[in-house]
Amino acid sequence: MTGLAIFAVFVALMVLGVPIGAALMLAGAVGIGIADLGWFSIPNNFYAGIAKYPLLALPMFVLVGAVFDRSGVARRIVDFGVAIVGRGPGMLPLIAVAVAMFMGGISGSGPATAAAVGGVMLAAMYRAGYPPAYSATVIGAAASVDILIPPSIAFIVYSVLVPGASVPALFAAGVVPGILAGFALMIPAVWLARRHGFGARELDQPRPPLLRALREASWGLFAPVLILGGMRLGWFTPTEAAVVAVAYGVFVGMVVYRTIGFRDLFDILVDAAEVSGVILVVVALASIFAYTVSTLGIVDPITRVAQESGLGSYGALAIVVVVLLIVGMVLDGVSIFLIFVPLLAPLMRLYNWDPVWFGVLLTFMVAIGQFTPPVAVNLMVSARLAGVRIEQTAPWALWFVFSMLLLLVILIAVPELATWLPGVLGY
Amino acid sequence: MTDQRPDPETSAPRRRYLPEDWVGGAAMALLALITFANVVMRYLTNESFAWTEELSVSLMVILTMVAAGGAVLRDRHIRIEAVFIGGSAQRRRRLAILSAIATIVTFLIMFGLGLRLFWDDYRYEVTSPGIGVPQWWYTVWLPVLSLTIALRAMQRLTMAWRAS
């Protein structure tokens, strides 16, 4: 009964567009009030929810993203990409996906990457003859893969929620599926462009000289090596790797490329503070909700229902996939994890799902949801930048969704794709 | 179809700063500097200042709440936006009012309970587990900043109210 009241309040507030954090806290408060759990669990859980040292990696990686998004790295890597693959139908979208994946290897959030890559690529793709709705789809979809490619803010939050999954293990587990997801987007992107003859208009433009493009881009190309390599070699913890990347990015932006001035630096800090605050306040308020749900044992029946239904591991997983794909369309990855991981944890134990593999799967589903029209978080950003309505992207986006769903099935069938790399690296 | 070119305005830096932005930006800079100093010190001296963990964590709490207040005024908080996009102006206004009220209630509750938490820490002279400074130096920010967030939400409420 109490459980029903909690979820009714939460769903009602959320559907009415109330900020997720407030909806979670008020629903939790209703439960605490009914079951008399003690009002002080509210501020205590709020504080304890974010006063965790490992969580410091989150604002630091947000800052890394804010620095690199303005450093001009994206534009130079685009030039480098053009120098490698040349010009012609399908080449620019290919580069857009590759650059979005690469920026995902530096920054940790999808919408930020959609803005950074969109800012560089949309105008170029428009001039080359790609329809804006198609370009917006490619960039929105590519930016969604970001949360799979380390460093990923979604993985940091998942690791805080699931004790058995460490940040380095999750980061390593995301690499192979993230790269495969990139290919899963490149194939329909190039195929569609070829079929419709998009991008023929740029053939007369010069190709940048390879060596100079490489030299210009090398500063940016080194950043993921520093972040991921430094963590792999045990030089840095995730938080330290982030702050070293910030220092490196500020150096490249201020000294090498001279794209960042002191005024920009302050803008970057303010932006990063705002983005971090918006995410972390949900983390804090969600811990009140999670406390109520777990103390009252509301999710325990889920295990029983799953057992009695005789669905089996794959049947249960299929239901989880459908639910998360739908939710992923309207909510960002971090919020979904905060709401659903406590609910799904009993299932994970019941079916003995590997927590790292399951984390990658959840993230993959969220990634698909973030560019599935009509209500996709990342598609919204890129469509706004491209000046198109989100419905116009639908005929294009469905190809990419289909391709990613195929890959999701493969990931479920072959868990080694996610678990192999962390195993080899010894996490 | 409307104008198809990318809009440069959407990526333009914002011009006006709120007080929250100054504090949030400064807290962000301080967090990065402390963490970076930790890395450097660890490599130079093989020692780490473990005590900075406590400081960083409480700075992160302050950063979160300060930035959350600014984001309330700018309406940047995470929510399901689908209901706003489809509706009429009247419906959007009603939903905005509901959001503001829910935010006010949330953070007034946090203010009241946080005040009690702070008062207990102060009265019983609780000291922090890491450095051993009075715990209330940290807990005092919970009620104070909850109140600022609630005030920003009230500002938001009056804006939505007048938008009729």
Side-chain angles (χ1 to χ4, degrees), chain A residues 15-17 19-20 25 40 44 47 50-51 59 235 240 243 266-267 271 273-274 280-281 332 375 385-387 392, chain B residues 1 3-4 6 10 13-14 17 22 28 32 42-43 57 60 64 67 74 76 78-79 82-83 95 99 106 116:
Chain A
V15 167
L16 288 171
I20 297 299
M25 137 88 188
F40 282 96
N44 281 328
Y47 201 88
I50 43 173
W235 292 349
E240 291 175 348
V243 82
F266 187 69
D267 268 342
D271 273 351
E274 187 178 86
L280 285 172
V281 83
D332 68 294
V375 273
L385 278 174
Q392 293 172 298
Chain B
M1 257 196 236
D3 186 16
Q4 294 193 331
T10 44
R14 70 172 142 253
Y17 289 121
W22 290 100
M28 194 58 154
R42 195 160 61 86
Y43 275 88
V57 159
M60 183 162 66
T64 302
R74 293 199 177 101
R76 295 260 171 88
I78 300 168
R79 61 150 122 255
V83 284
L95 291 173
S99 282
T106 299
R116 276 286 308 273

Side-chain angles (χ1 to χ4, degrees), chain A residues 49-342:
Chain A
I50 43 173
K52 292 177 181 148
Y53 195 67
L55 207 52
L56 187 60
L58 194 151
M60 290 300 112
F61 273 117
V62 169
L63 184 58
V64 175
V67 170
F68 276 93
D69 286 346
R70 297 212 199 174
S71 63
V73 163
R75 190 175 63 73
R76 286 163 179 86
I77 292 179
V78 168
D79 282 347
F80 180 54
V82 174
I84 293 176
V85 301
R87 298 187 186 273
M91 289 312 178
L92 276 181
L94 185 79
I95 294 168
V97 175
V99 174
M101 284 169 64
F102 182 84
M103 292 303 284
I106 304 175
S107 102
S109 99
T113 302
V117 178
V120 180
M121 293 298 293
L122 281 170
M125 288 177 79
Y126 179 70
R127 278 195 304 272
Y130 295 92
Y134 165 85
S135 311
T137 311
V138 172
I139 287 161
S144 307
V145 177
D146 243 33
I147 58 170
L148 277 169
I149 296 178
S152 153
I153 284 166
F155 281 150
I156 296 172
V157 172
Y158 182 84
S159 152
V160 169
L161 293 170
V162 181
S166 74
V167 172
L170 284 162
F171 278 9
V175 171
V176 174
I179 292 171
L180 289 178
F183 288 127
L185 296 178
M186 282 174 182
I187 292 166
V190 173
W191 178 72
L192 286 169
R194 287 269 161 96
R195 200 178 74 154
H196 296 275
F198 297 152
R201 252 195 269 158
E202 61 157 3
L203 278 171
D204 51 338
Q205 288 188 31
R207 191 164 158 171
L210 183 65
L211 273 179
R212 208 185 64 210
L214 173 65
R215 203 176 54 230
E216 286 262 297
S218 59
W219 289 98
L221 293 171
F222 181 65
V225 178
L226 180 72
I227 297 174
L228 303 176
M231 265 161 58
R232 168 66 197 106
L233 294 173
W235 292 349
F236 316 124
T237 64
T239 310
E240 291 175 348
V243 82
V244 169
V246 168
Y248 178 74
V250 168
F251 171 75
V252 171
M254 293 187 87
V255 180
V256 182
Y257 293 163
R258 296 181 185 278
T259 42
I260 299 176
F262 279 102
R263 170 89 197 188
D264 302 310
L265 197 59
F266 187 69
D267 268 342
I268 287 169
L269 286 168
V270 170
D271 273 351
E274 187 178 86
V275 172
S276 309
V278 163
I279 299 172
L280 285 172
V281 83
V282 182
V283 175
L285 292 165
S287 63
I288 299 166
F289 183 78
Y291 166 81
T292 316
V293 167
S294 69
T295 310
L296 296 177
I298 292 167
V299 291
D300 299 349
I302 293 181
T303 322
R304 214 185 53 232
V305 170
Q307 244 163 351
E308 283 168 5
S309 67
L311 276 170
S313 176
Y314 286 112
L317 210 50
I319 294 176
V320 172
V321 168
V322 173
V323 171
L324 282 189
L325 287 178
I326 296 169
V327 180
M329 284 155 59
V330 289
L331 267 182
D332 68 294
V334 172
S335 306
I336 292 172
F337 281 2
L338 291 167
I339 299 164
F340 279 91
V341 169

Side-chain angles (χ1 to χ4, degrees), chain B residues 18-66:
Chain B
L18 300 169
E20 278 95 336
D21 293 332
W22 290 100
V23 180
M28 194 58 154
L30 206 56
L31 267 178
L33 287 176
I34 292 173
T35 314
F36 191 69
N38 254 327
V39 183
V40 174
M41 286 303 287
R42 195 160 61 86
Y43 275 88
L44 290 183
T45 66
N46 269 328
E47 270 173 63
S48 63
F49 340 110
W51 58 270
T52 59
E53 281 196 14
E54 190 176 297
L55 196 67
S56 296
V57 159
S58 63
L59 253 177
M60 183 162 66
V61 175
I62 292 172
L63 167 82
T64 302
M65 298 189 73
V66 168

